[in-house]
Amino acid sequence: MRRKKIAILGSTGSIGRQTLDVLSAFKDDFEVIGLAAGKNVQLLAEQIKEHNPRFVSLTDSSLAQELKSILKNPALEIFWGDMGLEFISSCSCDIVVNGLVGSLGLKPTISALSHGKRVAFANKETLVIAGNLIKDLIDRYHGEIIPLDSEHVAIHQCVNNAKKEDIKRIILTASGGPFRTWAKSQIQSATKEQALKHPTWVMGQKITIDSATLMNKGLEVIEAMHLFDISHKQTDVFIHPQSIMHSAVEFVDGNIIAQLGATDMKLPIQYSLYYPERKQLPFNLFCDLLSVGKLEFEKPDYERFPCLKLAYEVAEKGKSYPIVLNAANEIAVDMLLKEQISFDKIATIISDSLETHVACEPKSLEEIIQIDKDARNKATELKKRIKQVMA
Ligand SMILES: NC(=O)c1ccc[n+]([C@@H]2O[C@H](COP(=O)([O-])OP(=O)(O)OC[C@H]3O[C@@H](n4cnc5c(N)ncnc54)[C@H](OP(=O)(O)O)[C@@H]3O)[C@@H](O)[C@H]2O)c1
């Protein structure tokens, strides 16, 4: 059988690297045709030597030139910038893995779906800001999105093509992050280093901070609404510190189906690449439930984790609010990572951005981009004011 051709957006990131680990274990079934990275030229060069793609892309032309001089491979086509991402996402591949972080993933997703591709989808921010547009594109060009995020892969398996009216609710689980047991006053003054110490998952910096604020779960609630066509009222978030049950679906007849497995992204990545097939797991990652011993569940605390509450409010309001939520969060997280604000100011910036937003119903990509841009500018202004207070 012909090997499936894979393009990876964000190949040098956490999702991208783990996708390549999975592909290395299944060389008879897949070939890597395209890789898009940001700035990590050295790692991209190593990935190219190992996986031999035809097309690659980097953020700008000087990085592309640097890569060219390292590799001296005339057969390799090197692109850069937005055009590079667009080219890789619409190249002659069967599956595009979207492991980009933030709203940067929107245009390449549109490009892949407009070419009828299957997208193995980790980049939740894109669905948060443009879920309706993405659904229209899938209908129009017959592409598809297969979730890759562990919670949505879990839900995908539990739903298993069940009728929509049979689903009572979806239960998304969250580890609770590093501050699960901390008092509100401790969380407010948490440092960047403390926020980056995730108790159960090793991930990129942005999602790790989002997990500490619980915004990650809020984004996932909105992502689930789009992926599974449900209302936010049909979602619940449970804190589950063991991170073994990745999510569950409760049906109208009282049955709950949950998906359990090791805390390792290679499992959902393998699922997403092979769906609807299943393949023998090539890694020693089978979950020993006896050694896990117990599974605990807690209600999330909106007082200590206001970002999750903000996300639920936005899920209810809809319109352009999710775009503002996401943009303000991206700006605020970036500022925490640069140590320009304290941890508690992430929620302040998002809440202030939402409060002053005049909502509209975005219909086109251009409108979404403009709202995103305006929201970033406003959040940046807010962050400048916070900086002045801190100085
Ligand atoms: N990590 C996980 O375990 C996990 C689990 C579930 C869902 N997700 C979701 O998956 C997405 C990716 O997360 P991650 O943790 O893998 O992020 P990450 O480790 O920060 O990786 C981001 C990737 O995007 C690339 N990139 C950044 N700016 C770029 C640009 N301008 N052009 C092209 N590429 C650019 C980076 O390249 P360089 O490094 O070369 O600059 C890197 O390859 C997020 O939406 C996250 O919420 C992640």
Side-chain angles (χ1 to χ4, degrees), residues 295-318:
L295 302 179
E296 295 161 300
F297 303 100
E298 301 161 7
K299 238 177 131 166
D301 179 350
Y302 286 164
E303 262 293 298
R304 290 185 301 133
F305 299 100
C307 284
L308 180 58
K309 186 164 180 262
L310 289 170
Y312 260 110
E313 285 167 3
V314 158
E316 168 136 27
K317 287 186 194 162

Side-chain angles (χ1 to χ4, degrees), residues 10 12-15 37-40 99-100 122 124-125 149 203-204 265:
T12 46
S14 165
I15 290 293
K39 296 196 164 108
N40 195 338
L100 293 169
K124 60 194 78 175
E125 296 91 345
D149 211 343
M203 309 179 284
M265 284 306 294

Side-chain angles (χ1 to χ4, degrees), residues 9-18 36-41 43-44 57-59 81-82 85 98-102 104 121-126 148-151 201-208 210 216 219-220 223 265:
L9 312 177
S11 68
T12 46
S14 165
I15 290 293
R17 283 180 272 122
Q18 294 180 83
K39 296 196 164 108
N40 195 338
V41 182
L43 180 55
L44 181 63
S57 170
L58 282 153
T59 309
D82 285 354
L85 277 177
N98 188 344
L100 293 169
V101 64
L104 171 72
F121 200 73
N123 174 234
K124 60 194 78 175
E125 296 91 345
T126 282
L148 189 151
D149 211 343
S150 60
E151 291 78 0
W201 292 97
V202 180
M203 309 179 284
Q205 289 201 328
K206 196 251 176 192
I207 184 176
T208 306
D210 284 348
N216 184 48
L219 299 176
E220 287 178 6
E223 183 185 10
M265 284 306 294

Side-chain angles (χ1 to χ4, degrees), residues 114 122 149 354:
S114 302
D149 211 343
L354 290 167

Side-chain angles (χ1 to χ4, degrees), residues 98-150:
N98 188 344
L100 293 169
V101 64
S103 60
L104 171 72
L106 173 59
K107 283 188 189 166
T109 305
I110 290 177
S111 166
L113 292 174
S114 302
H115 286 80
K117 305 280 182 203
R118 167 179 280 202
V119 183
F121 200 73
N123 174 234
K124 60 194 78 175
E125 296 91 345
T126 282
L127 271 183
V128 169
I129 64 177
N132 293 334
L133 187 82
I134 297 295
K135 276 197 277 187
D136 287 349
L137 287 174
I138 292 172
D139 289 345
R140 195 169 339 147
Y141 298 103
H142 310 294
E144 59 179 340
I145 281 187
I146 305 296
L148 189 151
D149 211 343
S150 60

Side-chain angles (χ1 to χ4, degrees), residues 26 33 48 88 195 315 340 361:
F26 291 111
I33 186 160
I48 292 166
I88 304 285
Q340 295 167 333
E361 199 80 67

